[in-house]
Amino acid sequence: MSTLAKASGALKSVDYEVFGRVQGNGGLRGAGGRGAPRYTEQEAKKLGVVGWVKNTSQGTVTGQVQGPEEKVNEMKSWLSKVGSPSSRIDKTNFSNEKEISKLDFSDFNTRY
């Protein structure tokens, strides 16, 4: 069991999808098409949660976050209200939110 899992009580997992101007120039993707995942990955690592993020062909950003409940809630707030510089978040959908017994990931990374 990872130190992350031992450090807290309840572990939580949640899927997310962010809608708005979250890809392209000035959006979450930023220059080179890596902005949103890069900023999301940085925030996740700062908070100490694990999971993944990726840009979709529909122009949204999607992924999954796992970790201690309070850290997952902080990440949900960031995904809903902050995002990366120059992004405009219209809405964020969260689904499959559940308590888990162990983490499925050892890190937070970008999928392509």
Side-chain angles (χ1 to χ4, degrees), residues 18-24 27-29 36 55 59-61 87-89:
V18 185
F19 298 81
R21 195 185 69 207
V22 295
Q23 290 190 15
L28 281 181
R29 256 175 64 169
N55 291 318
T60 63
V61 172
S87 65
R88 187 200 71 234
I89 298 168

Side-chain angles (χ1 to χ4, degrees), residues 24-98:
N25 289 338
L28 281 181
R29 256 175 64 169
R34 296 181 305 276
R38 184 180 72 234
Y39 284 108
T40 303
E41 195 174 312
Q42 284 174 354
E43 186 66 18
K45 288 178 178 182
K46 186 174 90 178
L47 289 173
V49 294
V50 298
W52 58 273
V53 60
K54 80 176 205 173
N55 291 318
T56 69
S57 57
Q58 293 81 36
T60 63
V61 172
T62 188
Q64 186 177 70
V65 177
Q66 295 183 348
E69 185 170 6
E70 67 278 3
K71 297 296 182 184
V72 170
N73 288 339
E74 285 180 51
M75 189 68 189
K76 284 174 64 180
S77 178
W78 186 87
L79 288 164
S80 300
K81 300 175 181 141
V82 182
S84 60
S86 305
S87 65
R88 187 200 71 234
I89 298 168
D90 292 338
K91 70 174 181 173
T92 304
N93 288 346
F94 296 101
S95 59
N96 301 319
E97 192 161 339
K98 60 189 177 216

